[in-house]
Amino acid sequence: MEYKKGGAFLIEDTNENEVLIPENFPEELNMFRKTATDFVEKEVYPHKDEIENQNFDIVKELMRKAGEKGLLGVDVPEKFGGLGLDKTSSTLIAEEIGKAGSFAVTQGAHTGIGTLPIVYFGTEEQKAKYLPKLASGEWIGAYCLTEPNSGSDALGAKATAVLDETGEYWILNGTKQFITNGGIAKSYIVFAKVDGKDFSAFIVDRDTEGLQIGPEEKKLGIKGSSTTPVILDNCKIPKENLLGEIGKGHLIAFNILNIGRFKLGAAAIGASKLAFKEAIEYAKARVQFKQPIANFGAIKEKIGNMAAKIYGGESAVYRTVGMIDDILHEIDENDPEFNKKTLKGIEEYAVECSIIKVYGSEAADYVIDENLQIHGGYGYSQEYNAERYYRDNRINLIFEGTNEINRLLIPGMLFRRAMKGQLPLVQAAQKVVDDILSGNIVLFFDEDESEMDIMKRIIDNGKKMCLFVAGSAAQKYGQKLIHEQEIVLRLADMIIESYVMESAYLRTKAMLEKGASDIYLKLTKALVYEGLEKMHFWGRQALSAIEEGDMLRTQLTMLRKFTRFNQIDLIHLKREIADYFLEKEEYVLY
């Protein structure tokens, strides 16, 4: 089948009918969403204080209940006790559970990094032994990659694995740090170097001799999730507990992180929606100067910005997951290479997975911070949820690869694909320069054009800005560009913004064709017009670090050509957006 190449959004047009949007979810999927929503509201919320105080007996009981409702086995094949559903279902559950604070971390780590390595890399015997228990919640899973001296540099791990004298057992030694679910897990995916050199993965049971669990970390947030060191002291496990192949542990680590990234982006958007709702409730109830603070422009601008970021993140998440499912649906589950092809399909969109991880976590960071600000002094008090949301969300900028690492990965992966001939980025960048020199670009917009047509050209110009800056950086530094991290980070920001702008636009176009409310158009305008200005700012900074003198002045002039559009009134636009959501009292579009 034909499918969009990962990263191709920079150089190709996408039809709105090709994009998955939440409004088109089938009824059975929305019913599954309701199952997750009800579970969070009726089962988790009543125990939030006990969870916060690390009553792990309650956490384990809630995990068993989640298993009974199918919320732990979405990605597990039916033959091993799961539901075997698509990634859209899995992502939707992640979004709803994302509203559950610390419990979301427990459930997310379990269903993702604690379970998926066995789903995709386990032998039939390993799957039969572990997956039914993990899908039911009888066992909780954990993932042991980080060490005291190796975080982002995962391959720098020092933990070792050697065969004993009988050749029947692995002996593991080392220390793993910051292990989510460390204190409550029954099975651990542990990474270690065979004979100190071949990075590999193993399954280790909780009752294994030599496995020691350290004390709970005293954390800033997500206090209700278990986070501990895991010490391997001559830890003896059967030879068959090797997961995958010797020396191929990096394939497990990095492929599973791709899945974790798009699910984390979804969970962060879910948390954003909850904080957004509470911000509106408080703003309407809090009276100052004889009127609700929701009436004030300063508050309305915050609400307008919050709504736009949620809309952009949500649109990008489901656009990405839709593309992943398009590939996965074509793979025969009876194919002997089913798992390998599945991971390859997900890896195709590794760039997009990193994008939504960064944007989703930072959108949540903004929304949750503004929720606290709207609450004022009460937002800093434990009497309200705002301060807990603030503490809990901060880890999302670190989880699944820090946002800095993910930003560096985005241009890096695109450049590597270009060098392999998989994406014609060089040709596209050169065409942008040729179009500028030949005057083959539109500098001003016709007043008779529709708002959607104007935004389409703004988005196209944003892509050209990305290509122009990327081409200039690659020409100047070549393969040494990786060492110019500040430039790469700004280029990544431009690419992220471009993808989110287009995702929102495509969703809006599809909905307007169905006669939807103009709130879609307003949200997209806020994202697109402000987004292009941010892209221009980042592009100027990057070019200023790449060139100097006359060449710099020339390039800045060329860059400016892509940002000429008729200015709109963003202040009153955001006020209108805020008025819509203040009336709805939550994030509701349809």
Side-chain angles (χ1 to χ4, degrees):
M1 93 175 241
E2 290 292 327
Y3 60 85
K4 287 284 184 183
K5 287 283 188 180
F9 65 89
L10 273 179
I11 55 177
E12 294 179 4
D13 277 339
T14 299
N15 186 286
E16 66 275 12
N17 296 318
E18 300 172 341
V19 175
L20 176 67
I21 60 176
E23 291 83 354
N24 288 345
F25 288 162
E27 184 57 31
E28 57 267 26
L29 187 54
N30 286 321
M31 290 175 63
F32 201 25
R33 177 206 289 267
K34 189 175 187 305
T35 297
T37 301
D38 288 347
F39 176 76
V40 171
E41 293 179 354
K42 296 176 182 179
E43 300 285 354
V44 180
Y45 284 172
H47 298 290
K48 63 182 181 181
D49 291 336
E50 295 162 283
I51 293 172
E52 187 79 354
N53 290 322
Q54 298 191 333
N55 185 332
F56 292 130
D57 287 337
I58 286 178
V59 173
K60 288 185 280 189
E61 178 59 28
L62 287 171
M63 286 291 284
R64 283 190 285 272
K65 288 183 178 180
E68 292 170 3
K69 295 181 179 296
L71 300 177
L72 304 183
V74 178
D75 294 295
V76 175
E78 289 185 78
K79 66 182 290 188
F80 297 114
L83 300 179
L85 299 179
D86 57 17
K87 297 307 172 195
T88 301
S89 302
S90 178
T91 304
L92 190 58
I93 297 306
E95 181 188 329
E96 293 305 313
I97 300 293
K99 301 172 184 177
S102 294
F103 183 79
V105 176
T106 301
Q107 189 268 356
H110 169 84
T111 57
I113 54 181
T115 299
L116 294 183
I118 301 175
V119 171
Y120 292 122
F121 294 93
T123 63
E124 290 298 296
E125 292 76 17
Q126 289 170 341
K127 292 176 185 179
K129 177 180 179 181
Y130 292 100
L131 293 182
K133 294 177 181 178
L134 293 168
S136 69
E138 179 185 348
W139 280 26
I140 294 174
Y143 181 86
C144 303
L145 178 62
T146 299
E147 297 186 4
N149 294 309
S150 65
S152 298
D153 179 19
L155 298 183
K158 302 298 183 185
T160 62
V162 297
L163 283 173
D164 72 353
E165 63 278 4
T166 69
E168 296 299 319
Y169 295 91
W170 293 105
I171 307 299
L172 276 59
N173 280 284
T175 299
K176 298 295 179 176
Q177 190 76 18
F178 305 132
I179 305 306
T180 302
N181 294 346
I184 60 176
K186 284 292 188 73
S187 66
Y188 301 80
I189 306 300
V190 177
F191 292 86
K193 289 182 176 178
V194 172
D195 298 329
K197 57 181 181 179
D198 295 320
F199 191 70
S200 307
F202 303 85
I203 306 174
V204 181
D205 294 353
R206 174 63 175 257
D207 59 3
T208 300
E209 182 181 350
L211 182 73
Q212 302 173 27
I213 307 302
E216 290 288 339
E217 297 286 348
K218 299 184 184 302
K219 307 187 295 284
L220 169 70
I222 56 168
K223 292 180 179 292
S225 67
S226 174
T227 308
T228 70
V230 172
I231 298 100
L232 309 163
D233 183 11
N234 289 321
C235 190
K236 185 177 181 181
I237 61 172
K239 185 179 180 180
E240 58 267 23
N241 278 32
L242 172 72
L243 185 62
E245 301 176 40
I246 292 175
K248 298 295 180 67
H250 63 287
L251 295 178
I252 300 175
F254 299 148
N255 276 293
I256 298 305
L257 285 175
N258 282 332
I259 300 172
R261 284 166 183 156
F262 72 71
K263 290 176 71 173
L264 186 145
I269 293 301
S272 299
K273 291 179 181 179
L274 179 61
F276 181 71
K277 180 180 180 180
E278 293 193 5
I280 288 176
E281 290 174 348
Y282 185 84
K284 293 183 73 170
R286 176 67 168 170
V287 174
Q288 293 288 276
F289 308 104
K290 300 181 180 179
Q291 60 180 311
I293 63 172
N295 291 350
F296 299 126
I299 301 299
K300 288 187 177 183
E301 184 168 40
K302 292 180 185 298
I303 292 172
N305 283 329
M306 294 158 80
K309 286 184 179 294
I310 294 173
Y311 183 71
E314 181 181 50
S315 301
V317 164
Y318 289 105
R319 175 188 183 183
T320 302
V321 176
M323 292 190 295
I324 291 173
D325 272 338
D326 283 344
I327 288 184
L328 302 190
H329 285 156
E330 295 299 311
I331 305 173
D332 184 350
E333 64 179 14
N334 296 315
D335 188 325
E337 294 193 332
F338 174 78
N339 288 335
K340 182 178 179 180
K341 291 180 178 179
T342 295
L343 289 171
K344 187 173 178 59
I346 295 169
E347 185 184 11
E348 179 66 36
Y349 300 108
V351 170
E352 288 82 355
C353 289
S354 285
I355 286 174
I356 59 178
K357 188 275 176 182
V358 172
Y359 190 89
S361 63
E362 292 184 2
D365 191 58
Y366 177 87
V367 171
I368 288 168
D369 181 73
E370 290 289 45
N371 175 46
L372 191 151
Q373 189 70 13
I374 288 171
H375 278 74
Y378 288 110
Y380 215 71
S381 167
Q382 291 185 3
E383 181 182 350
Y384 289 80
N385 291 324
E387 65 87 28
R388 180 171 57 80
Y389 297 162
Y390 186 85
R391 290 185 290 102
D392 285 350
N393 182 71
R394 187 58 182 83
I395 190 62
N396 287 330
L397 282 71
I398 298 171
F399 269 162
E400 310 296 359
T402 66
N403 283 10
E404 290 75 18
I405 287 293
N406 276 282
R407 278 186 164 91
L408 295 174
L409 284 173
I410 291 166
M413 288 187 285
L414 289 171
F415 282 131
R416 282 195 294 276
R417 291 184 180 188
M419 287 188 289
K420 292 178 180 179
Q422 297 171 342
L423 278 178
L425 291 177
V426 176
Q427 299 90 320
Q430 184 58 52
K431 186 178 186 305
V432 170
V433 175
D434 292 344
D435 286 346
I436 295 173
L437 295 176
S438 65
N440 189 27
I441 59 171
V442 178
L443 299 182
F444 297 98
F445 299 114
D446 190 325
E447 292 184 0
D448 293 332
E449 285 185 286
S450 73
E451 291 183 295
M452 290 298 288
D453 286 342
I454 290 173
M455 283 196 287
K456 173 65 166 64
R457 281 210 268 140
I458 291 174
I459 290 166
D460 288 345
N461 281 351
K463 294 181 185 183
K464 291 174 182 177
M465 288 172 62
C466 292
L467 292 167
F468 180 64
V469 174
S472 299
Q475 185 175 27
K476 173 69 177 287
Y477 295 106
Q479 294 187 2
K480 294 181 180 179
L481 178 58
I482 191 174
H483 302 300
E484 301 295 327
Q485 290 191 346
E486 300 93 332
I487 295 173
V488 177
L489 291 173
R490 282 159 180 78
L491 180 55
D493 281 329
M494 296 175 71
I495 296 169
I496 292 168
E497 201 71 26
S498 175
Y499 186 69
V500 172
M501 287 161 56
E502 185 178 57
S503 299
Y505 167 84
L506 292 168
R507 179 183 180 186
T508 293
K509 188 175 182 184
M511 290 306 297
L512 291 181
E513 289 173 357
K514 295 182 177 183
S517 161
D518 67 353
I519 188 61
Y520 286 91
L521 179 63
K522 291 174 179 178
L523 287 165
T524 304
K525 287 171 68 176
L527 283 166
V528 169
Y529 281 89
E530 205 158 63
L532 191 68
E533 291 184 355
K534 289 190 286 188
M535 290 175 69
H536 183 227
F537 172 72
W538 293 320
R540 290 201 320 268
Q541 287 195 331
L543 289 176
S544 297
I546 295 168
E547 298 292 354
E548 58 185 1
D550 289 342
M551 178 58 76
L552 173 60
R553 283 187 284 274
T554 298
Q555 290 201 341
L556 291 177
T557 299
M558 295 167 76
L559 187 74
R560 181 62 182 167
K561 292 181 183 294
F562 296 117
T563 64
R564 294 182 180 179
F565 57 86
N566 298 327
Q567 184 65 47
I568 66 168
D569 179 3
L570 280 168
I571 290 176
H572 284 89
L573 175 67
K574 291 178 183 178
R575 189 178 294 178
E576 291 172 6
I577 292 171
D579 286 339
Y580 170 90
F581 287 105
L582 285 165
E583 181 180 349
K584 295 291 185 181
E585 297 188 332
E586 61 180 320
Y587 181 83
V588 172
L589 296 173
Y590 53 93

